[in-house]
Amino acid sequence: MGLLALAGPTRIERNQRSCINCRRCTDICPHQLPVHQKARIKSAECSGCMDCTRVCPVTGALQLKTKGLPVWSQLRLGLVIVGLFIALVYTARITGHWQSSLSPYEFHMRLVEIESSD
Ligand code: SF4
Ligand code: SF4
């Protein structure tokens, strides 16, 4: 996962002009990465949890970015992940590659639960 994260195009980026050096991002990082000192987080340990962007008090100072795409908010990222998961599951089911002991009814109820948990 770490190697994939390093090779991927998505990074936490800090705008050095607007950053006020409060260190909240570094303090909350579960992997003790020195976020407040870096322009871009390039670390196999960054899980992309976005805790650092959540606590940053300055709008736009710290963002999760992917080249060529709009800035990721936690909501947008969550929706894309759930959408990809559902698309993958349905594609596997339609093409006959989904092997599960879950009945179609139980599967449907689980999806309803996930979708209503917002
Ligand atoms: S996204 Fe999470 S793991 Fe990565 S630098 Fe921010 S707080 Fe640390
Ligand atoms: S939380 Fe935001 S403003 Fe504070 S040091 Fe980190 S990037 Fe800069």
Side-chain angles (χ1 to χ4, degrees), residues 25-80:
C25 47
T26 296
D27 291 344
I28 201 164
C29 179
H31 303 289
Q32 285 91 43
L33 297 171
V35 186
H36 74 289
Q37 294 173 340
K38 305 282 184 186
R40 187 171 291 117
I41 299 296
K42 279 189 209 165
S43 167
E45 291 182 63
C46 177
S47 58
C49 66
M50 296 181 77
D51 280 354
C52 53
T53 61
R54 182 173 51 80
V55 297
C56 179
V58 182
T59 305
L62 198 61
Q63 296 174 315
L64 181 65
K65 289 185 179 174
T66 303
K67 274 186 187 163
L69 291 177
V71 171
W72 293 102
S73 66
Q74 285 183 315
L75 177 65
R76 182 177 289 154
L77 188 63
L79 288 175
V80 167

Side-chain angles (χ1 to χ4, degrees), residues 49-115:
C49 66
M50 296 181 77
D51 280 354
C52 53
T53 61
R54 182 173 51 80
V55 297
C56 179
V58 182
T59 305
L62 198 61
Q63 296 174 315
L64 181 65
K65 289 185 179 174
T66 303
K67 274 186 187 163
L69 291 177
V71 171
W72 293 102
S73 66
Q74 285 183 315
L75 177 65
R76 182 177 289 154
L77 188 63
L79 288 175
V80 167
I81 289 171
V82 170
L84 283 175
F85 175 76
I86 291 172
L88 202 72
V89 169
Y90 273 111
T91 303
R93 286 175 70 84
I94 288 166
T95 57
H97 290 88
W98 182 262
Q99 308 292 329
S100 172
S101 57
L102 219 59
S103 71
Y105 175 75
E106 220 176 323
F107 176 73
H108 174 73
M109 292 312 291
R110 294 271 191 272
L111 285 183
V112 170
E113 262 177 49
I114 291 169
E115 285 166 4

